[in-house]
Amino acid sequence: MPFTVKEIAYAQTDFDTKFGVPRQSGRVDALEARIVFLPKYRNPDALRGIEGFSHLWLLWHFSENREDDEFRPTVRPPRLGGNRMEGVFATRSPYRPNPIGLSCVKLIRVEHTEKDGDVLVVSGADLVNGTPILDIKPYLPFTDAHPDAKGGFAASFEDYALDVVCEDGLLSRLPEEKREALVAVLREDPRPAYQNDPERVYGFPFAGFEVKFTVDGTTLTVLDIMPDSKNTL
């Protein structure tokens, strides 16, 4: 039977678009995000005991998806170059019968604010700014961790990373606390896997800046980091 899913919070992150967001949670620990609860759920009792856990599961809505009621049993995982089909339930593609995402993040602290009440500060999130959060559950290492689990076709990309070349003068334009996170994001290779033109200039907004880069083989070169003209901060 149909049922209603409620948004309980939203994510505040450094990504205003999908491009650049890590493909999986936990891949870039240096990225911090804030989980801000909607007024109805800003009751400190709802977080009682949460600081005893190091990690949390976030269930969230793929809010950037286009509306499409057609069921597609296969998808094209971007890491496979966009030309290999896999079953939708064997992937973490955002295009699924119910657009629900699942992310494991590290809880850094509970931040007490006058404006937004108690806010969760987490790291390792793979979320666009404003992503609706549907639920939060504690990560339980004695039941959720399976060190011997098999990673299927995704396992071949576990150690994939680019070499990032960025002049100190460019990187210094970012706030110091954002630099490590940006370099880690770039190492993950934000491009769609089917794009391999070394002359093509890519760009995405990050933390109020626009980052421009090229990729030649396994080397990513940052060309420019400039204030984002659409940033209102």
Side-chain angles (χ1 to χ4, degrees):
M1 295 179 63
F3 63 94
T4 300
V5 176
K6 303 178 181 67
E7 176 185 356
I8 65 166
Y10 61 91
Q12 290 181 341
T13 77
D14 288 322
F15 298 98
D16 288 331
T17 65
K18 292 188 292 184
F19 193 96
V21 175
R23 300 178 195 273
Q24 303 293 338
S25 60
R27 292 288 292 180
V28 182
D29 285 335
L31 279 176
E32 287 195 8
R34 301 172 80 247
I35 307 302
V36 181
F37 290 89
L38 300 185
K40 179 179 179 179
Y41 303 101
R42 289 178 189 170
N43 186 326
D45 286 341
L47 298 179
R48 187 185 301 172
I50 200 168
E51 290 177 281
F53 298 93
S54 64
H55 292 74
L56 303 171
W57 289 110
L58 303 180
L59 284 82
W60 46 277
H61 177 218
F62 282 109
S63 54
E64 297 292 304
N65 281 13
R66 61 181 182 274
E67 293 294 329
D68 189 352
D69 292 331
E70 181 181 355
F71 173 57
R72 291 182 171 83
T74 58
V75 294
R76 301 177 187 270
R79 275 291 192 224
L80 298 181
N83 53 14
R84 174 174 157 184
M85 305 293 286
E86 297 288 350
V88 63
F89 300 127
T91 75
R92 295 191 177 186
S93 167
Y95 298 103
R96 28 200 344 106
N98 292 301
I100 297 174
L102 177 68
S103 298
C104 184
V105 297
K106 183 177 182 180
L107 177 62
I108 299 175
R109 64 183 179 276
V110 178
E111 194 171 272
H112 307 286
T113 74
E114 184 175 343
K115 176 185 175 184
D116 297 320
D118 287 353
V119 172
L120 301 180
V121 181
V122 302
S123 67
D126 54 343
L127 306 174
V128 175
N129 190 40
T131 294
I133 306 298
L134 306 178
D135 202 1
I136 299 169
K137 301 177 187 292
Y139 174 93
L140 303 178
F142 61 87
T143 186
D144 292 346
H146 302 278
D148 298 328
K150 294 191 295 185
F153 63 82
S156 60
F157 301 100
E158 181 178 355
D159 298 323
Y160 177 83
L162 296 177
D163 297 316
V164 177
V165 177
C166 182
E167 296 179 2
D168 291 341
L170 291 177
L171 200 58
S172 65
R173 297 177 185 178
L174 281 175
E176 185 174 359
E177 69 273 12
K178 302 292 184 182
R179 298 171 192 171
E180 179 184 353
L182 174 63
V183 172
V185 165
L186 294 173
R187 285 198 191 104
E188 288 289 297
D189 193 354
R191 304 170 302 158
Y194 56 82
Q195 294 182 356
N196 294 304
D197 182 0
E199 302 297 322
R200 179 165 181 168
V201 177
Y202 302 89
F204 64 93
F206 176 81
F209 290 79
E210 183 75 15
V211 181
K212 300 286 188 182
F213 64 93
T214 58
V215 180
D216 189 355
T218 60
T219 300
L220 182 150
T221 302
V222 178
L223 303 177
D224 205 355
I225 299 176
M226 66 195 88
D228 188 348
S229 59
K230 296 185 288 294
N231 181 38
T232 56
L233 296 180

